[in-house]
Amino acid sequence: MEKNLKNITIAYIGGGSRGWAWRFMADLALDGDICGTVRLYDIDQKAADANAVIGGRISANPGAKSRWVYESVPSLQSALSGADFVVISILPGTFEEMRSDVHEPEKYGVYQSVGDTVGPGGFVRALRTIPMITEIANAVKEYCPKAWIINYTNPMSLSVAAIYSAFPKARAFGCCHEVFHTQTLLMAMLKKEHGITVENRQDVHINVYGVNHFTWVDSASFKGLDLMPLYADFADKYWADGFLEDPDKTKDPVFVSANRVKFDLFRRFGVAGAAGDRHLAEFMPPWYLKNPETAAKWKFMLTPVSWRFADLERRLARSQRLASGAEEFPLVPSGEEGILLMKALLGVREFVSNVNIPNAGQIPNLPLGAVVETNALFRLDQIKPLIAGSLPGNIRPLIARHADNQENTLKAALSFDFRLALTTFLNDPLMCGVSETDGETLLKTMMANTAKYLPKEWGV
Amino acid sequence: MEKNLKNITIAYIGGGSRGWAWRFMADLALDGDICGTVRLYDIDQKAADANAVIGGRISANPGAKSRWVYESVPSLQSALSGADFVVISILPGTFEEMRSDVHEPEKYGVYQSVGDTVGPGGFVRALRTIPMITEIANAVKEYCPKAWIINYTNPMSLSVAAIYSAFPKARAFGCCHEVFHTQTLLMAMLKKEHGITVENRQDVHINVYGVNHFTWVDSASFKGLDLMPLYADFADKYWADGFLEDPDKTKDPVFVSANRVKFDLFRRFGVAGAAGDRHLAEFMPPWYLKNPETAAKWKFMLTPVSWRFADLERRLARSQRLASGAEEFPLVPSGEEGILLMKALLGVREFVSNVNIPNAGQIPNLPLGAVVETNALFRLDQIKPLIAGSLPGNIRPLIARHADNQENTLKAALSFDFRLALTTFLNDPLMCGVSETDGETLLKTMMANTAKYLPKEWGV
Amino acid sequence: MEKNLKNITIAYIGGGSRGWAWRFMADLALDGDICGTVRLYDIDQKAADANAVIGGRISANPGAKSRWVYESVPSLQSALSGADFVVISILPGTFEEMRSDVHEPEKYGVYQSVGDTVGPGGFVRALRTIPMITEIANAVKEYCPKAWIINYTNPMSLSVAAIYSAFPKARAFGCCHEVFHTQTLLMAMLKKEHGITVENRQDVHINVYGVNHFTWVDSASFKGLDLMPLYADFADKYWADGFLEDPDKTKDPVFVSANRVKFDLFRRFGVAGAAGDRHLAEFMPPWYLKNPETAAKWKFMLTPVSWRFADLERRLARSQRLASGAEEFPLVPSGEEGILLMKALLGVREFVSNVNIPNAGQIPNLPLGAVVETNALFRLDQIKPLIAGSLPGNIRPLIARHADNQENTLKAALSFDFRLALTTFLNDPLMCGVSETDGETLLKTMMANTAKYLPKEWGV
Amino acid sequence: MEKNLKNITIAYIGGGSRGWAWRFMADLALDGDICGTVRLYDIDQKAADANAVIGGRISANPGAKSRWVYESVPSLQSALSGADFVVISILPGTFEEMRSDVHEPEKYGVYQSVGDTVGPGGFVRALRTIPMITEIANAVKEYCPKAWIINYTNPMSLSVAAIYSAFPKARAFGCCHEVFHTQTLLMAMLKKEHGITVENRQDVHINVYGVNHFTWVDSASFKGLDLMPLYADFADKYWADGFLEDPDKTKDPVFVSANRVKFDLFRRFGVAGAAGDRHLAEFMPPWYLKNPETAAKWKFMLTPVSWRFADLERRLARSQRLASGAEEFPLVPSGEEGILLMKALLGVREFVSNVNIPNAGQIPNLPLGAVVETNALFRLDQIKPLIAGSLPGNIRPLIARHADNQENTLKAALSFDFRLALTTFLNDPLMCGVSETDGETLLKTMMANTAKYLPKEWGV
């Protein structure tokens, strides 16, 4: 009746990941409460093999507080059977497909800063992701129906929606760190403007609501301090020039933003956009993404897929070094909360965090069932969402539109309904300047570019 | 307990109308079941005086089946006290204000074919209409709370919403003939393509749902015949070149359309747009209204406000002729259903028709309370809406967006909240190509242009 | 695309019925608009055979306006394949089982006037009916999924619920004439108290809401006359002594009531109970059914099952006479509306009538999906329910309780969950004076008494 | 922007309380985080005066961690102006009125174990409580609209509902310790049956849902241990003989129960009743309260009002001793959580606890707006309810019935609608064996007995 905390089994789908997986391994190693086995499964089995070696090294680090066993496994079945947790962190397709997602629409004047969530790129990425996630969800249903599924794959909302569509009794949720940045921004504000140092990000309490990468915060506090009036002043002060949290520039420039989009959204709508500017901008009409110059004016960058190719090279090389022992992966916390959530679900410690799950009423004025992001309480074998409250009147249509697109995309992807796909594709705010006929041509081209990863029923 | 059908009192607000009012008078004269008194109230009292004379002449027409008394009254109170029905058919502002509504946005590349419902023009028109309607609704609440209110004023949805906002127990509904055109188009189709003559438009049964001027039809029948497959063929056949219902060109060219927008929407979405092309186009992104040339390609015209000025001249002249007896208003049915609905509410005969009232579940996947247009059954002192059903997935976001804008516009208009006004203005699909800063400038200009009719609280 | 009105196929499940079926046949013969074939299926095939002969005779009556072919068929498949309509009118079990349903609870002081809808008898009847209806619904799904299903079987709500549970896309509805009695009572009132003769029952317009056999009317009109104030006076006047609609006593005494229960409910709750007193009384706590003497005081009778046995004898004998031609079935309208509804669904004529279907919002303050009875508009291949409105505060709990019991009974019957069955059985208002342990004993006994007709999974 | 934790103002309405108030004072004294002023207001001002003295003594106790100032104030206005928190803990009427509430119904065979929440006694108590609470809520609205209102008055649900009815923007919630007993029972179970000692009640995590005093628990855990299977065994083991948590009998016998009702409910319904047996029994049909002998068999007692009179004597005497210093009130924690919740609302520490507030979706299958009891997260100036989940099918009707009665009672109490009052009174499960005419007599008698505390509009 009580799970043995020292014998946890985690199935890691996409276990060949060169980045996420390592940080996850480090987090596991740094936790002293639980240990067990991590099964790494990847369609690129060599990558999983390498990560099994790397995992072993990380676990053997003298600083590790717990020992985990890492195994590379050859099939979903072998990964999942008997698993307590399933981590889904896959790349749907390759960067070749992502190149089309991100850059093909530019031919029609549609620019995307990330291209993996919404916009034309997010849409087409979803078309190929949904069948993959569906396959995994069906396998969980068969091999470990009681396991908790933690999704990290983008598009997040649609991945979680696809899991529940295939397996309605799934115990699944999606984790994303974007919201944390709002907390760290508030911490930076407190430090810079008010000389207050916050030790622990989780002491900045926020109420968050929206859909993944397009979340909003209507209240924030630190101890007895209401942070919203402070944030209003802060946004006014830095709206024109921006505010950089990373003065030492340790972050790659393609990911840096000066929070001008966030400040502008707050001033226009009265609640705070709570995700990176690169993400927020993609959910709006092309106010901030009219073209690269506009983005630059708003002080954020479009991430070109060429950067991702180059980065992959760097990570491949690092993988070899880590596997061979030439480099040691640093045992520092990733800042992610996945392990804390797992421990809460194991009964170690209650925890409140933001999470992506179907709307059961946490946002009363969004459709039930839409995958939304709000706070929830994690407890032994339970996620109890908090009621975040109704979205303000001028925010609701912005989010409802994406929630509807989410539902239609899922349905189109599962039924191969091109008419529904096209009308949904055209309903994306970034597409509003594209004529209906150009939109049709673009969608057909983009689907052809990703045909290798689309179900054959599409006939592309 | 039983109303005397021969002693009905109708308060006509906007009773100086030069057009609508005359047709309404003719309909009354042609009905043999009810009679009584019509009180004409207008802020232009001379216009009401003239219409009292014209009404008397129409009623005295030998072909009239009933005698109605027409009175011009000097105040809302004198119009409303003891009234059984209140007809609201006002022009909010003048064509000078409408000139700004329609043409000012063209400076930013935003074209509108009508400009009285949605789009930037509909929005600003709503800002000045809502306070006027609120005043009328408050007067009804005070002087004749049990009266039935029939609204013909545009913007329709927001006028009805404003009534209920001011007086939640109002017995109000909005009537619009746009949906009838879908029935007449189907009749024309049956005649031309299948040689079937339909005598009575009301025998073409349709299921309609949406918001006023942006309604959709998912089923249609004539006796045992399902018309939707026939319409699919029809739309395919005439999509490229259009289909003109009025080959003799009796209709003013500015109102003629070849139904290409309707056909295109049907082919794209799988359900039939059910309003005039000029209206439908305004609710979509600028697919059909990119510029006047695009509209022309889709075979409909933008109605310039200069036409309205010229038309007003014609109607003024006609008013004089009608009042003096130089011209007799023809006693022919208008094709409107207002009288039939009034008679149904008086218990004369049950009647099913499309109507604009708050959503009480007739469209389950739109917010409760949003003013929607669907069929309802009219009976003695009752309107019982039919459940039209949930909107299809790809239609819902199109309509929900306008329903949200409706709610936000009402709230902004009543609370003088410029931030809410601006974010709502920018959320209109026709505005999607305008930057947030241009949009702000445009809204301020348009509000200044209509300042005479805006509450002073706006400070414009 | 258009159905041939002269070639309709009706599958009559329970086609051996000695009563209902004959009246249905007479109604068909009296209709001049449609004709075709009726396939009679019954688990008692001889009864169906006899009815095929009787149907032939009725159809051959010189007064018949249309010729229908009657066939006795040996299987559900042969009845259903290609059918346009499916009529379900079965007796679940025999009167032996009903004897237990009705009389066994009397040992615990629980009296029932009918025992086929709610109460302990209705509950146990439901346990055996639901699997039978489920079998039929599955067969419809397989053999004629597009057919319209008209259910006449009791318990009505649960039969309709069972159909939709097995086959969610069913086009099914339940018809019941109980509500008509409210209209005829109002007609009798108009005649007796006001000297007004109503020719056509359907001209008495009512708004009805509730669950089958426990429906309520909050508004009623005849032409321009509001009948509710008249009914209030009427109920006051006749509350003490009752009002008999059938002074000539042509009706069997066991079915006669003096409407005292209806009058009492109206005076207590302010809306009119709209079903026979024998039915209404069963849905309430034992106010009217404390014992037979109480019922007699309220001037209605408990129908003993012995009467049903005797009546069956009479009907069997009549069946023989009808089949042999010794007696001719009179060609008079039954007063039922089934044929009218079928014709409306075939596109002959729109029709508004009360109907039992899942709640899609017609009663906003009852759970969605609960089978409720309200008005609906019938059209070509469509039933569009009217929104009847929310139940008054003091009526809602009365009905909601039965709606919950309905849901729980269905679930228990399909999952063989004795705990759910027992807690539901005990939640019936008539059972409120029975202790939880006596209730358990009673349910076990009653289930044993009907074991022959219960799925073996129950293990009784 | 940040409240000064050392300068908190608490208005205590009912501040003459002899019991609750003292324990509250002790809790305040024992808390080291906050301090300030407590204003005691009571219609019995002498009682408030005495408590101001007692409060001063408690605050001066050397063991006190904080100093609070206690003031007796002469009016609601003086209590409320500028208050941060308002505690409402009043006795509506006197024990004379309660004598009628509890014992008058016994003449009709209706027994109540407490008589302050539901049942005929709870209903009549509500009729006099609602206007009192309404007066307080209106005063809060006027004098300290931003204050948090903590209600302890019974009937709890209706007191909270009355607050929100009078002042929809109130920040009000109701606190009750009944649910804690479920946690302590689980702790006793763990100790006795499994040898596990739980130090801190709050480490027993439960999910609670229902209405106050009729709450249910569907999941419970302690660290990694799922307690529900253990509780199932426990209920089976002790069902027959009961389980006493208080073997030393320190508790007054009238409040002791052996948890047999809880065990029986769990076995019958599959979820755990989570309030004292004396309360739970009152919400059910008279299974456990048929008569005092039945209650005794179930091992709980009916609390006679004579006991309350005697107890009041004891408390009066003690009040004098405490005020004079003859006795010192012990500085031990009360076990209540009120102070913890206040501190959470001040931003000191997040806290999850059960709370009575309007349903905003925390129980999706109960009506929105009904006051329900579930867990919520308390934070700086926020209560964010957790979504507890839908009630099981067989529990829902039990609770929905009381939720409906709650709504109808509130409406009747505020509109003086005797018809609604009577039908609601008769809809209480404990009343199900009383005829409609006896019920009417009983209600009239009980209202007459409490006439002194009823608004004159009732005319009793």
Side-chain angles (χ1 to χ4, degrees), chain A residues 62-391:
Chain A
K65 295 186 185 153
S66 64
R67 303 278 143 185
W68 288 79
V69 176
Y70 288 87
E71 296 173 356
S72 171
V73 296
S75 66
L76 272 178
Q77 179 174 359
S78 53
L80 298 174
S81 301
D84 299 302
F85 294 94
V86 180
V87 171
I88 306 181
S89 176
I90 63 173
L91 178 70
T94 72
F95 290 145
E96 280 306 331
E97 280 70 35
M98 195 168 184
R99 194 197 307 267
S100 166
D101 295 347
V102 174
H103 297 300
E104 190 71 31
E106 295 177 353
K107 298 176 184 167
Y108 295 83
V110 177
Y111 293 89
Q112 301 169 89
S113 27
V114 187
D116 69 349
T117 308
V118 289
F123 179 83
V124 172
R125 183 187 181 104
L127 290 190
R128 64 178 184 271
T129 307
I130 290 165
M132 298 176 190
I133 295 285
T134 297
E135 185 193 345
I136 297 168
N138 283 330
V140 170
K141 185 178 176 183
E142 185 170 358
Y143 301 120
C144 56
K146 296 278 185 188
W148 283 96
I149 306 172
I150 311 176
N151 180 66
Y152 287 101
T153 308
N154 282 328
M156 169 61 79
S157 306
L158 272 162
S159 295
V160 174
I163 295 170
Y164 280 99
S165 172
F167 178 23
K169 296 196 170 174
R171 307 168 100 182
F173 59 100
C175 281
C176 177
H177 55 199
E178 284 294 318
V179 166
F180 305 167
H181 299 334
T182 301
Q183 293 168 299
T184 54
L185 178 59
L186 291 167
M187 289 162 72
M189 169 190 85
L190 281 173
K191 182 124 189 203
K192 178 94 181 284
E193 306 294 309
H194 305 278
I196 297 170
T197 301
V198 178
E199 296 292 334
N200 186 351
R201 174 179 58 76
Q202 286 139 2
D203 288 339
V204 176
H205 296 155
I206 57 176
N207 185 55
V208 58
Y209 45 18
V211 292
N212 182 247
H213 291 167
F214 196 47
T215 38
W216 298 77
V217 160
D218 71 338
S219 69
S221 63
F222 171 64
K223 295 188 177 159
L225 196 58
D226 179 357
L227 302 183
M228 294 311 280
L230 309 186
Y231 189 68
D233 294 342
F234 185 61
D236 284 345
K237 180 169 175 185
Y238 292 99
W239 176 80
D241 295 324
F243 178 87
L244 280 170
E245 290 166 82
D246 182 34
D248 305 339
K249 302 185 180 174
T250 60
K251 218 169 171 182
D252 192 292
V254 295
F255 295 121
V256 170
S257 95
N259 298 303
R260 286 200 68 209
V261 172
K262 260 196 280 300
F263 296 149
D264 195 58
L265 289 174
F266 181 75
R267 286 156 52 102
R268 292 202 171 276
F269 291 94
V271 287
D277 284 17
R278 292 160 60 250
H279 285 299
L280 293 170
E282 290 190 333
F283 285 80
M284 298 295 297
W287 293 359
Y288 309 108
L289 277 169
K290 191 174 177 186
N291 48 44
E293 297 69 42
T294 304
K297 201 186 70 177
W298 286 103
K299 299 203 175 180
F300 69 98
M301 283 184 66
L302 313 190
T303 311
V305 175
S306 57
W307 182 91
R308 295 190 188 273
F309 274 107
D311 183 59
L312 179 58
E313 288 303 313
R314 289 189 289 272
R315 291 189 284 118
L316 281 168
R318 190 180 190 197
S319 172
Q320 289 182 330
R321 293 197 302 277
L322 292 171
S324 69
E327 176 180 339
E328 191 173 13
F329 194 81
L331 222 51
V332 293
S334 70
E336 302 292 332
E337 294 187 340
I339 312 296
L340 293 172
L341 299 178
M342 287 167 56
K343 284 167 58 177
L345 293 169
L346 289 165
V348 176
R349 194 172 305 110
E350 281 194 332
F351 197 72
V352 171
S353 185
N354 57 302
V355 66
N356 293 275
I357 49 176
N359 187 20
Q362 49 270 51
I363 305 181
N365 60 352
L366 282 186
L368 290 175
V371 173
V372 295
E373 185 161 343
T374 64
N375 285 327
L377 175 72
F378 287 70
R379 276 186 172 175
L380 178 66
D381 263 337
Q382 281 193 337
I383 301 177
K384 291 288 178 189
L386 277 81
I387 298 179
S390 287
L391 299 167

Side-chain angles (χ1 to χ4, degrees), chain D residues 88-349:
Chain D
I88 306 180
S89 175
I90 63 172
L91 180 69
T94 72
F95 290 145
E96 280 307 330
E97 280 69 36
M98 195 169 183
R99 195 199 304 272
S100 167
D101 294 348
V102 175
H103 297 300
E104 191 72 30
E106 295 177 353
K107 298 175 186 167
Y108 296 83
V110 177
Y111 293 89
Q112 300 169 90
S113 26
V114 186
D116 70 350
T117 309
V118 290
F123 178 83
V124 172
R125 182 188 182 103
L127 291 190
R128 64 177 183 273
T129 306
I130 289 165
M132 299 176 188
I133 296 284
T134 297
E135 185 193 346
I136 298 168
N138 283 329
V140 170
K141 187 178 175 181
E142 186 171 356
Y143 300 120
C144 55
K146 295 281 185 186
W148 283 97
I149 307 172
I150 311 177
N151 179 65
Y152 286 102
T153 309
N154 282 326
M156 170 60 79
S157 306
L158 272 163
S159 295
V160 175
I163 296 169
Y164 280 99
S165 172
F167 179 23
K169 295 194 171 175
R171 307 168 100 182
F173 59 99
C175 280
C176 177
H177 55 201
E178 284 294 316
V179 166
F180 305 168
H181 299 335
T182 301
Q183 293 169 301
T184 54
L185 178 59
L186 291 168
M187 289 161 74
M189 170 190 85
L190 280 173
K191 181 123 189 201
K192 178 92 181 285
E193 306 295 309
H194 305 279
I196 297 170
T197 300
V198 178
E199 295 294 334
N200 186 350
R201 175 179 58 75
Q202 285 140 359
D203 288 340
V204 176
H205 296 155
I206 57 177
N207 184 56
V208 58
Y209 47 18
V211 291
N212 181 247
H213 291 167
F214 196 47
T215 37
W216 298 77
V217 161
D218 72 338
S219 69
S221 62
F222 171 64
K223 294 185 176 166
L225 196 58
D226 178 358
L227 301 183
M228 293 312 280
L230 308 186
Y231 189 68
D233 294 342
F234 184 61
D236 284 344
K237 181 170 174 185
Y238 291 99
W239 175 81
D241 296 322
F243 177 87
L244 281 170
E245 289 165 83
D246 182 35
D248 303 338
K249 301 183 179 175
T250 59
K251 216 169 172 182
D252 192 292
V254 297
F255 294 121
V256 169
S257 94
N259 298 303
R260 287 200 66 210
V261 171
K262 259 196 278 303
F263 296 150
D264 195 58
L265 289 175
F266 181 76
R267 287 156 52 103
R268 292 202 171 278
F269 290 93
V271 288
D277 284 18
R278 290 160 60 250
H279 285 300
L280 293 171
E282 290 190 333
F283 285 80
M284 298 294 297
W287 292 0
Y288 309 108
L289 277 170
K290 190 173 177 185
N291 47 45
E293 299 70 42
T294 304
K297 202 186 71 179
W298 286 102
K299 300 204 173 177
F300 69 98
M301 282 184 67
L302 314 189
T303 311
V305 174
S306 57
W307 183 91
R308 295 190 189 273
F309 274 107
D311 182 58
L312 179 58
E313 289 303 314
R314 288 189 291 272
R315 291 190 285 119
L316 281 167
R318 193 182 187 195
S319 172
Q320 290 183 329
R321 294 196 304 276
L322 292 172
S324 68
E327 176 180 338
E328 190 173 16
F329 194 80
L331 222 50
V332 293
S334 69
E336 301 293 331
E337 293 186 341
I339 312 297
L340 294 172
L341 299 179
M342 288 167 57
K343 285 167 56 178
L345 293 169
L346 290 165
V348 177
R349 193 172 304 111

